[in-house]
Amino acid sequence: MEPLTLTTDRLVLRPFAPSDAEEVHAVCQDPEIQRWTQVPSPYERTHAEAWVNEISPASWREDRQYAFAVRLGADGPLVASVGVHVHGPGAYEIGYWAAKEHRGRGYVTEAVTGVARWLFTEVGAGRLEWRAEVGNAGSRAVAERAGFRVEGTLRAALGVRGTLRDCWVGGLLPSDLGLPSPLPYLPAVSATP
């Protein structure tokens, strides 16, 4: 995938760049980000540098992950990160974190919705999945505000630092955002006794 920039009403979502290392390092010192996401803990400067210089650019080139630095305007502060993991043809999962001082303002919901619209309209995704460890109420609230339907709890489905954890799973379909689907969707019909 060729890296690209997306915009929403208040935000610019662009691929991470070397100039982001200092802000990424500072934001990822937040114990909540280290607790609920897959970032290393403790999070060192070398982790941020590897992320912006090597890991994120390689992930775009190899179609493994599309990570966006979410900024308040083109030159504004880093407010969040939104990443789409590519699990195979048509299989996409979204993840995100927000800088502590920018939480509660709707930035992550706006960014997630913008990325979802791009996936559905430009990439041709038929479904976007969200997962979070059970108890991560902030992530769940963002997902639900963005239109995801929480579909259940998966046992031992999330690997976190050498342990398996239960996670919530949700799905977002193009139709949830009023968009056409690349393939027709035939939902299951409930049988009543």
Side-chain angles (χ1 to χ4, degrees):
M1 172 72 68
E2 195 65 34
L4 60 99
T5 298
L6 304 173
T7 58
T8 66
D9 289 342
R10 302 179 292 173
L11 307 170
V12 173
L13 292 74
R14 63 158 174 75
F16 282 92
S19 60
D20 297 324
E22 186 174 325
E23 282 180 288
V24 169
H25 178 253
V27 169
C28 289
Q29 297 309 301
D30 179 3
E32 291 296 302
I33 290 176
Q34 291 183 28
R35 164 65 179 93
W36 295 113
T37 72
Q38 300 287 332
V39 303
S41 181
Y43 196 83
E44 299 175 2
R45 175 69 185 216
T46 56
H47 294 122
E49 290 171 356
W51 173 253
V52 301
N53 291 312
E54 301 163 26
I55 300 167
S56 183
S59 294
W60 276 92
R61 278 192 310 274
E62 298 164 8
D63 276 330
R64 289 185 289 119
Q65 179 178 334
Y66 315 132
F68 294 93
V70 180
R71 293 193 167 277
L72 191 54
D75 299 317
L78 179 68
V79 298
S81 172
V82 175
V84 177
H85 301 272
V86 181
H87 294 297
Y92 304 95
E93 180 184 338
I94 199 159
Y96 39 83
W97 52 249
K100 185 175 185 175
E101 64 273 18
H102 296 288
R103 292 181 189 145
R105 299 178 188 169
Y107 297 143
V108 180
T109 302
E110 184 177 326
V112 166
T113 303
V115 170
R117 287 185 171 282
W118 166 71
L119 281 169
F120 293 143
T121 60
E122 302 298 321
V123 179
R127 173 184 164 86
L128 179 58
E129 196 164 277
W130 158 85
R131 292 179 183 215
E133 184 178 339
V134 170
N136 189 344
S139 182
R140 183 173 177 154
V142 167
E144 289 176 332
R145 283 193 302 270
F148 283 81
R149 292 187 190 177
V150 177
E151 299 168 337
T153 301
L154 302 175
R155 298 181 309 140
L158 190 65
V160 180
R161 296 179 187 89
T163 64
L164 293 175
R165 313 274 176 97
D166 294 347
C167 71
W168 291 316
V169 63
L172 184 69
L173 305 179
S175 59
D176 296 331
L177 299 179
L179 300 169
S181 178
L183 294 172
Y185 168 48
L186 183 60
V189 178
S190 300
T192 55

